Amino acid sequence: MTLETVSQTRSHAGTQGVYSHRSAETGTDMTFSVFVPDHAEGAKLPVLWYLSGLTCTHANVTEKGEYRRACAEHGVIFVAPDTSPRGEDVPDAADEYDFGQGAGFYVDATQEPWAKNYRMRSYIERELPQVIAANVPAADMDRQSIAGHSMGGHGALTIGLRNPDRFRSISAFSPIVAPSEVPWGEKALGRYLGSDRASWREYDAVALIEDGARHPHILVDQGTADNFLVEQLRTHRLAETCDTAGLDATIRLQPGYDHSYYFISTFMAEHVKWHAERLG
Ligand SMILES: N[C@@H](CCC(=O)N[C@@H](CSC=O)C(=O)NCC(=O)O)C(=O)O
């Protein structure tokens, strides 16, 4: 598979790259960023995936996430994919920031006209890892963890919970923990997957845990001044569900922080370190 280098920039004792490739899953060109810390020749470094939220591309966290110093210090490769397929030929929902392009919700859509291109689950779980393994020689694909923000926090939790043997740890900033129960999620899952709510459960972290999914290493940070907390994020649902299931997740409320990258960047280094400790 051919990878086009969009840019490579030296930063924090490493290389920040942006690349694009043709995706078989989405049927579109996809762009992602990868930060590779400097390393000895032949060395293998663990991989931390970061899934972004509504309206984002790879660029939001790459420019505002402030992960590079911590990744260089701990020797962690950081991969930031896009949040949906994009292009003039890709169905979109004009004027809806929370659906369509920029809002793939990390599902494989089953409904028309979304099913052909909106295959972000398979893209993140299968295709992009193969692209990374083939093109980033330092990437140790036996040591992976996953993180994300908001819609991407939902993606990290659900992908991590479905694949506990692949991802050694899961962390999330302000995740949508129960999309089946909130407006953003009901809209996206209803239109991408259809009205049968049973088919939504594998894309809902609370439902996955209720249905038996487990992971020993989960960290969530949530700002108390986040304007989406009450209606869309509902962190307490994850806390309650983990308690009931006997899951020892670390769920922290951070006083005064909002939903923005000012919040994410404040705690990013802690998340990178926490993952690095579990990645060995
Ligand atoms: N109405 C807003 C909502 C968009 C927004 O807040 N997006 C967040 C993620 S929300 C959940 O997934 C985000 O990360 N924005 C990008 C950023 O750089 O802050 C709007 O349309 O702006």
Side-chain angles (χ1 to χ4, degrees):
M1 73 206 64
T2 316
L3 205 60
E4 184 197 331
T5 300
V6 177
S7 62
Q8 282 185 333
T9 311
R10 181 135 186 89
S11 181
H12 284 292
T15 302
Q16 179 63 65
V18 178
Y19 307 94
S20 73
H21 69 116
R22 189 76 190 165
S23 164
E25 291 292 351
T26 67
T28 64
D29 290 342
M30 295 293 285
T31 301
F32 60 92
S33 77
V34 184
F35 177 71
V36 181
D38 292 349
H39 52 278
E41 199 178 329
K44 288 287 198 182
L45 308 182
V47 177
L48 176 59
W49 295 85
Y50 176 92
L51 305 183
S52 295
L54 293 167
T55 72
C56 290
T57 67
H58 70 282
N60 299 70
V61 69
T62 305
E63 293 166 4
K64 299 192 290 192
E66 299 184 25
Y67 53 81
R68 278 174 286 269
R69 183 187 295 274
C71 284
E73 183 184 338
H74 298 290
V76 172
I77 291 173
F78 191 96
V79 181
D82 203 346
T83 55
S84 78
R86 293 178 194 273
E88 284 181 9
D89 297 337
V90 174
D92 196 7
D95 304 328
E96 294 178 66
Y97 77 92
D98 54 358
F99 190 75
Q101 295 190 34
F105 261 85
Y106 305 101
V107 305
D108 283 350
T110 57
Q111 304 300 298
E112 298 306 335
W114 318 105
K116 179 178 170 207
N117 306 106
Y118 284 77
R119 297 187 49 78
M120 290 303 291
R121 173 186 183 164
S122 291
Y123 178 68
I124 301 291
E125 285 188 352
R126 279 209 303 269
E127 186 174 18
L128 194 52
Q130 290 169 10
V131 171
I132 298 297
N135 291 282
V136 183
D140 182 352
M141 304 308 283
D142 291 331
R143 289 187 292 156
Q144 300 183 57
S145 290
I146 191 162
H149 170 234
S150 196
M151 175 185 73
H154 140 74
L157 286 167
T158 53
I159 291 171
L161 282 163
R162 287 196 306 262
N163 298 280
D165 295 336
R166 177 167 344 156
F167 298 102
R168 294 197 187 178
S169 45
I170 307 169
S171 81
F173 304 93
S174 10
I176 307 167
V177 303
S180 311
E181 303 175 14
V182 302
W184 275 344
E186 288 186 305
K187 175 180 185 172
L189 300 183
R191 286 163 75 177
Y192 289 134
L193 303 176
S195 58
D196 177 9
R197 285 174 171 258
S199 70
W200 301 6
R201 293 186 73 80
E202 60 183 335
Y203 296 111
D204 181 311
V206 161
L208 278 165
I209 294 167
E210 285 173 353
D211 292 347
R214 296 290 181 267
H215 201 293
H217 301 288
I218 296 176
L219 168 64
V220 171
D221 274 314
Q222 173 63 55
T224 60
D226 185 328
N227 55 331
F228 296 121
L229 175 55
V230 173
E231 188 182 20
Q232 307 281 9
L233 308 175
R234 308 191 77 214
T235 318
H236 68 280
R237 290 285 294 121
L238 183 65
E240 290 162 7
T241 308
C242 287
D243 275 354
T244 304
L247 252 181
D248 188 20
T250 301
I251 300 174
R252 311 189 294 201
L253 292 181
Q254 302 290 1
Y257 288 93
D258 67 11
H259 197 66
S260 72
Y261 271 86
Y262 291 108
F263 164 59
I264 298 166
S265 59
T266 302
F267 295 96
M268 179 63 88
E270 270 188 56
H271 281 231
V272 171
K273 178 172 184 281
W274 181 84
H275 285 294
E277 287 164 358
R278 285 151 185 85
L279 285 161

